[in-house]
Structures are given as C-alpha cells and as structure tokens.
Amino acid sequence: MAELFDSYKSNYGEAVAGSIRFSGLKHDFFLIAKADLMRRLVVERGLRQGGAKVRALDVGCGVGSLHPYLEGAFENLDGCDVSEESILRAGQDNPHVNYRACTTPSLPYEDDAFDLAFASCVVHHVPTASWLDFFREMRRVVRPGGIACIIEHNPYNPLTRLAVFRCPFDRDAVLLNAAKAASLFRQTGFSDIRSEYFLLLPSARPFARKIERLLAPLPLGAQYACSAHV
C-alpha cells in the first residue's frame, strides 16, 4: 500500500479529479464539505466546551489535501500516513501541520495524545483483517472524553460506486457501510456512536447544506461520517 501511494505523491489530486469528472464537480467541493463537517463535529461533540483547545490527528492523511481547508479548525493538527513520499509532499504544502510517517501497525503517538482522531476515506484501503486493529489504534491515541471519526464512501450510492471504479488507486477497495463502521467502533470500546450521510446535493449553498442535514439519516449521500466517544 505504501508503494502504491508513493507513486501518486505528485498527481494524487489529478487522479481523484479524473475519477469524479463525470459529476461536473471539482475535488475542492468534496474537501470543503469534509472540512465543514469536521468543524461542526468538534462543536457538536463538545470538544470546545470551556474554551478547550483541540489537538487533532488525521490518520492516513496522504499528501494533506484536506489540511488547507482545516486551517484554524484546531489549535494543533498532526497527520500520519504509510506513504513516506506522501508525507514529504504534505509537509512541503502544509508547514503548519506536524507530519509523521507510520511504518508499523501501531500509530507513532503516545496513548491519549489527541482530543480527536479522524480518517477520511482511508479504511477501505486497509485490509479487512486489520480493520479492528485500525480502530483500536484510533481509540488508543484519543484521550478519555475525546472522539474519533471516520469518513467513508457510501456503498449504496451508485455514483460513488462509479467514482470508486474510475479511481486508479481504489480498484481493490473494500467499501464498508455505516453499520459496519459503527460495529467496529462498538467492538473496540467506543460509545455514543453516530452516523450521518452527506454530499448529496451538488451545491455548497446554505440552503443545500440545510437540506442535506435534514436528509442525513438516510443512506443517500455520496459519503458518510461515523463518529464516537472514547
């Protein structure tokens, strides 16, 4: 897997853009939607109570494409990835983020180090036999009272299926639905598990986002977010 993503360090964005070109939407549209969701999650899940500062970890951050859109969302942001070449590129593009290569099954961080750990479209690249270990590691590095969140493709959305099929590094992906994600959180000791679907409408206008929030419980959006408390 590391070698695969090493090879896309310079053209990751172009590969993703090619896979979604049929939608008429740019990659930025999806990144902004994810960043907005993460900002909202921090507030709704209570991590900002009492003016607390938030330290967040992006597990499987790749070249850090999401990080420019998260600037200011957290007081500290770290990112790690199995691809050392991608981490080098991410560090060049986002000097305000702390990056580390993750070359072992364990995340290179101490226990309870973060208020929030998230993984955006990463789990479907992890071998299914390692899914539980992946969630266990996210739980290990999140402090008691903190949260973990995964964002994944919705396998029930046919346009998502088409985008995955067209993406060169998603050809062998094993998509997991929100119920499976929730089960993995439950099995690894998380609680207060919540799921929501998003990226249903091709617009970022407030009215469109409001409609999406109303329809979030339904498995319609292109992606979903599943989050849980430690």
Side-chain angles (χ1 to χ4, degrees):
M1 187 60 64
E3 291 79 6
L4 171 63
F5 284 97
D6 280 348
S7 67
Y8 283 98
K9 66 173 182 177
S10 299
N11 62 343
Y12 175 85
E14 290 84 348
V16 173
S19 71
I20 59 175
R21 188 167 291 119
F22 68 88
S23 70
L25 300 170
K26 294 183 178 181
H27 190 201
D28 288 1
F29 174 80
F30 297 89
L31 295 172
I32 291 169
K34 293 176 185 180
D36 288 348
L37 185 148
M38 296 305 303
R39 292 174 189 274
R40 175 168 54 80
L41 188 69
V42 165
V43 175
E44 292 180 351
R45 286 294 205 162
L47 294 184
R48 288 285 182 203
Q49 290 180 353
K53 295 182 178 180
V54 177
R55 184 182 182 190
L57 170 65
D58 184 355
V59 183
C61 64
V63 296
S65 300
L66 181 59
H67 297 166
Y69 304 93
L70 288 171
E71 190 164 358
F74 320 112
E75 280 66 32
N76 293 284
L77 177 59
D78 288 63
C80 64
D81 198 272
V82 298
S83 169
E84 296 186 55
E85 294 294 333
S86 295
I87 286 295
L88 288 173
R89 162 77 185 277
Q92 294 169 0
D93 293 347
N94 305 290
H96 60 287
V97 180
N98 306 305
Y99 291 106
R100 294 186 190 179
C102 184
T103 57
T104 68
S106 299
L107 294 173
Y109 304 98
E110 297 181 355
D111 297 357
D112 307 333
F114 297 94
D115 305 291
L116 165 67
F118 63 94
S120 178
C121 295
V122 173
V123 179
H124 64 263
H125 291 298
V126 177
T128 55
S130 299
W131 281 356
L132 273 175
D133 289 336
F134 185 91
F135 278 71
R136 285 193 186 103
E137 275 299 290
M138 290 186 75
R139 188 183 189 283
R140 181 183 65 79
V141 300
V142 175
R143 64 163 176 81
I147 61 173
C149 176
I150 67 158
I151 296 174
E152 275 297 330
H153 297 312
N154 175 16
Y156 302 126
N157 185 303
L159 295 181
T160 295
R161 286 280 188 181
L162 177 58
V164 169
F165 176 77
R166 288 166 55 94
C167 188
F169 47 76
D170 275 349
R171 298 278 167 78
D172 296 324
V174 179
L175 302 186
L176 65 161
N177 58 31
K180 180 61 178 178
S183 175
L184 290 164
F185 271 129
R186 194 173 300 110
Q187 291 179 69
T188 48
F190 287 89
S191 62
D192 190 16
I193 302 164
R194 307 176 190 176
S195 297
E196 63 176 280
Y197 295 85
F198 68 113
L199 288 170
L200 173 61
L201 302 175
S203 172
R205 293 180 178 180
F207 180 73
R209 290 287 173 83
K210 184 176 181 180
I211 295 297
E212 282 199 347
R213 291 299 308 280
L214 292 173
L215 297 175
L218 303 176
L220 302 175
Q223 295 184 350
Y224 67 86
C226 187
S227 61
H229 265 114
V230 172

